[in-house]
Amino acid sequence: MEENKLQKELFKSIMRVNKAMGKRHSALGDLPQGTFVLLHAILENGHQLEFITDEEMIGMTVSDLSEILLVSRPAISRMINELERKGFIQRVSTCSDRRLVYVCIAPLGKEALQAAWHRAYEGLNALIEKMGEQDIKELIRILNKLHTVVYELANDERLERN
């Protein structure tokens, strides 16, 4: 099989960026990347839940998290168990359907996520300053397109397996 130069160059570039981003992992502080991604997914994609109390909470089901993050339900459940043990999330039921369990960000999780975002923004500002606004906008456009394509391919593969 003849090796495609473009494929090799793309693979090397992705690996270099991945390695460099790994070295900047400390940009999130002590919060592991998987925890950051899961908490952020709940915050960005969760639903406002109604409770008997006046407490406002945003939550998602395990199935919804699994689908959005493209991670199996058992893997999401393991992550949730660990984060619940650390006090970052809590499982709750709503008044309208007590059978349905939502995963919500607990106050400690919100604090950790806010601190991680603060550190991440500092790093992103430095990146924007080094690369320039025009290159960053082009990078965002390309990364969004890449995300769409990768997401579609992952869904296609998942459908083929089922």
Side-chain angles (χ1 to χ4, degrees):
M1 178 194 254
E2 190 174 305
E3 196 168 355
N4 184 317
K5 184 178 178 183
L6 189 58
Q7 290 169 333
K8 187 175 183 179
E9 194 172 328
L10 176 60
F11 182 78
K12 283 174 58 177
S13 292
I14 290 171
M15 295 307 291
R16 281 196 313 258
V17 169
N18 193 29
K19 186 175 181 180
M21 294 301 281
K23 289 182 179 182
R24 294 215 25 101
H25 175 69
S26 63
L28 298 176
D30 296 332
L31 197 64
Q33 186 176 359
T35 300
F36 178 82
V37 169
L38 190 135
L39 293 175
H40 181 69
I42 295 170
L43 188 64
E44 287 293 309
N45 302 291
H47 311 286
Q48 185 70 40
L49 304 177
E50 297 175 15
F51 293 98
I52 297 170
T53 66
D54 291 336
E55 186 177 10
E56 287 187 19
M57 295 189 88
I58 295 174
M60 295 182 72
T61 65
V62 172
S63 296
D64 288 344
L65 275 169
S66 172
E67 189 174 318
I68 286 173
L69 298 177
L70 298 176
V71 177
S72 70
R73 286 185 200 149
I76 289 288
S77 292
R78 283 191 298 274
M79 289 176 70
I80 290 168
N81 289 339
E82 178 66 22
L83 294 178
E84 189 174 33
R85 194 167 53 253
K86 290 181 177 180
F88 284 1
I89 61 163
Q90 55 192 25
R91 297 173 206 246
V92 296
S93 299
T94 63
C95 300
S96 57
D97 188 351
R98 295 201 179 274
R99 296 169 297 168
L100 195 56
V101 176
Y102 287 88
V103 178
C104 300
I105 303 175
L108 185 61
K110 285 180 186 175
E111 288 175 23
L113 187 59
Q114 286 173 343
W117 264 120
H118 179 73
R119 288 186 60 128
Y121 279 139
E122 288 175 351
L124 293 172
N125 286 336
L127 190 61
I128 292 168
E129 195 173 300
K130 288 256 187 204
M131 288 186 66
E133 190 173 323
Q134 192 62 34
D135 283 350
I136 291 295
K137 286 180 179 179
E138 181 67 8
L139 177 61
I140 290 168
R141 184 192 68 75
I142 292 169
L143 288 173
N144 286 335
K145 186 175 183 177
L146 176 64
H147 172 265
T148 300
V149 170
V150 170
Y151 192 82
E152 288 171 358
L153 291 172
N155 280 334
D156 291 347
E157 288 174 8
R158 191 168 21 175
L159 288 175
E160 288 174 8
R161 283 184 293 210
N162 294 334

